[in-house]
Amino acid sequence: MPAKLSTRPMLRRCAVAGAAGIVLLGTGLPGAMDDDKPDLDRFYRQQVDWAKCPGEGLPKDMQCGKVTVPLDYAHPKAGTLDLALARYRATGEKRGSVLLNFGGPGGAGTPEFASGGKEFMELTDGYDIVTFDPRGVGRSSPVSCGDREENIGVADNGTEVDRHPQTVLKQLRRAAAACARHSGPVLPHIGTVNASRDMDVMRAALGDKKLNYLGFSYGTRLGAVYAAQFPEKVGRMVLDGVDTLTEPLTEQGVAGAQGQQKALDDFVNWCVKDIACPFGQDAREARKQVVRLVESLDENPVPSAFGEPFTGQDLVGAIGHALYSEELWPSLERGLASLIEDGDTHTIESFAGRAAPTGREESGDPDGGLVDAEDIPLDNVPAALMAINCADDPDRPTAGQIVRDLDRLRAQYEQASPVFGLYRLTEVLMCYGRPRGTEFIRDEVKDVDTPKVLLVGTRGDPATPYRWTEETARRLGSSAVVLDNKGGGHTGYGSSKCVHNKVDAFLLYGTLPPDGSSCGVEEDRE
């Protein structure tokens, strides 16, 4: 049954340790800018051949296609990648396309569209609505870090962080090697700078002179980078659940842990009012039980739906996704009850969006073609998230810094959240030993010379705090128009009718709300 957008776990910007524990990707710098336009002409001249989507149970009116992009924009003859696209066609007179990104990083657009695309049907009164699997994600040369046994890390057993920091460093190096081995040639060329360049190829292949864009969560980072790289190609752009462009991963992790802990406390307060709540009816005791459950599963995992161990950190990741929308709370309550009472992980795992393991030595098609949906690796979402975040962040802690600061950081993160702290601490560690990521985002994505861009910030957002909307608006400069959503949940388009209507009015008719205007809590959907 198609779910409303606000219930979909792909709308997120989170630190996913996932089934692979802490996995670390050997990413290099994004390819250098290559302004030799003739070398890219063949990519910009292509057109998308739309056809019925492969697979069972997909909406009949959804079509699928692909675009081909250079593996390395600095050397476009060195190899190519095919990127998966999906669309719903315009029902009225077509004025172009709106490209959507659902977030992550590591979120595949095609499955999200299949289950939640109906939320955007108003936009088909004038536009094809199109989404995609970014490079390294979903069917587009998915990256992977292999089996848990190869890259098990500190997220699987938090005591290692305190007692054996040198062991942690060895685990991180081993994980990085496993990720490079399983991901194939796309890994050094993953990241937002290259994904933004891919979007410009998509724009041309769709036949649009300007890019009309709706990005959620991490998708706002992708949209902002596009605006900086291709300011003259920006059409109507909306950034909902605005990501930071400047904060180091250490600060992002603390903010994420604090936001998710508040959302968890709100869930527990709601749950204990129900006689079926698996934690009883006392909120303070219930919060302690959640911590004990995580610790118990870290010490003694239970079999997952796929037969692999399901740890406390796997549970933390699943809970974090479910907390993005209050609409998911009843399902989260039932999933936790099944886990506690029967050891059944099926329901709780559904929040993590995990795919079946493939057992393949190398992820993706070595020739850069689309992979089949059933061949997407189990750990693609966390592997891609970490690869992209590492490629986007220039900070690299040394081994000495990690050993020296580990106790202090763990205390800081656990103070932010006794449940999500360790999970978020992996953001500090995951890029250890990797080449420095690009400085382009931090240094160059500012003062963009584009048409007005609509930024939607939600006051109660557990993943992207409202201050990031304010910071990014200042970074983008006079082009930014801020819509203040007073409600809760991650992003506003799928949870607030007011936000939904204002975003559609801008994309369809160019009607912008005044800068600083707001949508009230009372206007949120029930």
Side-chain angles (χ1 to χ4, degrees):
M1 180 176 65
K4 292 183 179 180
L5 178 67
S6 58
T7 69
R8 299 294 301 154
M10 283 297 182
L11 293 182
R12 64 186 183 273
R13 194 219 170 277
C14 58
V16 180
I22 182 165
V23 288
L24 194 56
L25 303 181
T27 59
L29 290 172
M33 298 302 170
D34 182 0
D35 294 327
D36 189 3
K37 202 67 169 179
D39 286 346
L40 300 176
D41 275 355
R42 66 189 179 103
F43 300 103
Y44 276 86
R45 287 197 305 265
Q46 67 185 302
Q47 296 180 337
V48 182
D49 293 325
W50 297 103
K52 180 182 178 182
C53 293
E56 299 295 329
L58 298 176
K60 293 181 179 179
D61 54 344
M62 188 175 85
Q63 296 179 313
C64 289
K66 68 178 183 179
V67 296
T68 301
V69 298
L71 175 66
D72 181 356
Y73 277 92
H75 305 95
K77 295 181 181 180
T80 63
L81 301 171
D82 288 340
L83 305 181
L85 303 180
R87 78 168 178 179
Y88 290 96
R89 299 182 66 181
T91 56
E93 182 179 354
K94 181 180 174 181
R95 303 196 298 272
S97 306
V98 174
L99 190 65
L100 282 76
N101 181 276
F102 292 101
T110 304
E112 185 70 31
F113 226 28
S115 58
K118 298 303 181 182
E119 190 74 29
F120 305 94
M121 286 301 106
E122 293 95 336
L123 296 175
T124 60
D125 185 18
Y127 294 105
D128 288 350
I129 50 174
V130 183
T131 192
F132 62 102
D133 295 359
R135 58 172 60 207
V137 175
R139 298 182 62 214
S140 303
S141 299
V143 295
S144 172
C145 292
D147 297 331
R148 180 190 295 268
E149 287 75 12
E150 290 185 90
N151 51 54
I152 188 167
V154 296
D156 289 290
N157 186 351
T159 59
E160 296 273 4
V161 174
D162 283 330
R163 299 175 186 174
H164 306 289
Q166 292 296 335
T167 300
V168 172
L169 295 175
K170 292 179 182 178
Q171 290 170 333
L172 294 173
R173 286 190 288 267
R174 183 177 68 179
C179 295
R181 182 167 62 253
H182 285 274
S183 292
V186 70
L187 188 61
H189 306 288
I190 203 170
T192 302
V193 172
N194 279 330
S196 168
R197 302 197 78 178
D198 293 342
M199 289 206 307
D200 199 54
V201 174
M202 294 177 206
R203 173 198 58 76
L206 294 171
D208 293 336
K209 293 182 179 180
K210 303 279 188 178
L211 178 74
N212 301 310
Y213 178 77
L214 174 55
F216 299 97
S217 195
Y218 159 76
T220 68
R221 186 200 309 173
L222 182 56
V225 170
Y226 183 91
Q229 286 186 297
F230 304 99
E232 73 285 357
K233 299 298 184 183
V234 173
R236 295 170 184 173
M237 178 174 285
V238 180
L239 310 180
D240 183 3
V242 183
D243 199 358
T244 179
L245 300 173
T246 59
E247 285 193 3
L249 288 175
T250 50
E251 297 178 22
Q252 294 178 37
V254 171
Q258 291 171 334
Q260 288 185 301
Q261 184 63 48
K262 182 181 183 302
L264 177 61
D265 291 343
D266 291 342
F267 165 75
V268 167
N269 291 338
W270 169 87
C271 182
V272 296
K273 297 176 183 178
D274 182 0
I275 192 66
C277 182
F279 302 115
Q281 276 63 61
D282 181 88
R284 180 177 297 182
E285 178 59 28
R287 285 190 283 272
K288 294 179 181 178
Q289 287 191 43
V290 174
V291 175
R292 288 197 291 268
L293 177 62
V294 171
E295 293 174 345
S296 174
L297 287 171
D298 275 336
E299 293 177 4
N300 299 291
V302 297
S304 73
F306 301 117
E308 294 189 341
F310 184 81
T311 70
Q313 297 310 302
D314 292 329
L315 174 62
V316 171
I319 292 174
H321 298 161
L323 292 175
Y324 284 149
S325 170
E326 293 183 12
E327 293 181 20
L328 289 173
W329 287 3
S331 297
L332 176 59
E333 180 186 30
R334 291 191 295 271
L336 288 168
S338 295
L339 175 64
I340 293 170
E341 296 167 8
D342 304 316
D344 185 351
T345 67
H346 285 73
T347 301
I348 202 71
E349 281 189 279
S350 68
F351 296 114
R354 291 167 57 167
T358 68
R360 295 166 59 138
E361 173 62 22
E362 187 174 280
S363 175
D365 186 324
D367 297 322
L370 296 182
V371 304
D372 293 333
E374 59 267 23
D375 287 334
I376 299 171
L378 169 68
D379 71 323
N380 178 237
V381 171
L385 181 144
M386 293 179 182
I388 295 166
N389 277 343
C390 289
D392 286 0
D393 190 272
D395 298 328
R396 290 294 182 271
T398 65
Q401 288 172 324
I402 290 178
V403 171
R404 182 181 68 247
D405 296 340
L406 210 50
D407 288 347
R408 176 184 61 80
L409 286 171
R410 172 155 184 154
Q412 180 184 9
Y413 274 73
E414 289 191 336
Q415 183 178 7
S417 170
V419 174
F420 298 98
L422 174 61
Y423 193 83
R424 287 296 200 164
L425 179 56
T426 61
E427 279 198 327
V428 178
L429 305 176
M430 66 186 182
C431 298
Y432 163 71
R434 300 305 95 204
R436 293 181 70 244
T438 181
E439 295 181 346
F440 180 83
I441 300 174
R442 190 175 295 177
D443 293 346
E444 303 297 331
V445 184
K446 59 184 178 180
D447 300 322
V448 297
D449 184 15
T450 68
K452 296 294 185 182
V453 176
L454 179 59
L455 279 61
V456 181
T458 298
R459 292 283 177 171
D461 195 315
T464 51
Y466 187 80
R467 62 181 171 83
W468 287 356
T469 301
E470 297 174 314
E471 291 172 2
T472 299
R474 290 192 295 269
R475 288 276 300 183
L476 297 183
S478 60
S479 296
V481 173
V482 173
L483 176 61
D484 182 355
N485 178 27
K486 304 292 187 182
H490 186 33
T491 74
Y493 187 83
S495 59
S496 167
K497 184 176 181 180
C498 171
V499 170
H500 190 108
N501 290 341
K502 290 182 184 297
V503 168
D504 283 358
F506 174 51
L507 291 173
L508 287 169
Y509 312 115
T511 304
L512 269 171
D515 184 32
S517 60
S518 65
C519 287
V521 176
E522 70 278 4
E523 294 169 301
D524 285 357
R525 294 178 182 178
E526 296 180 356

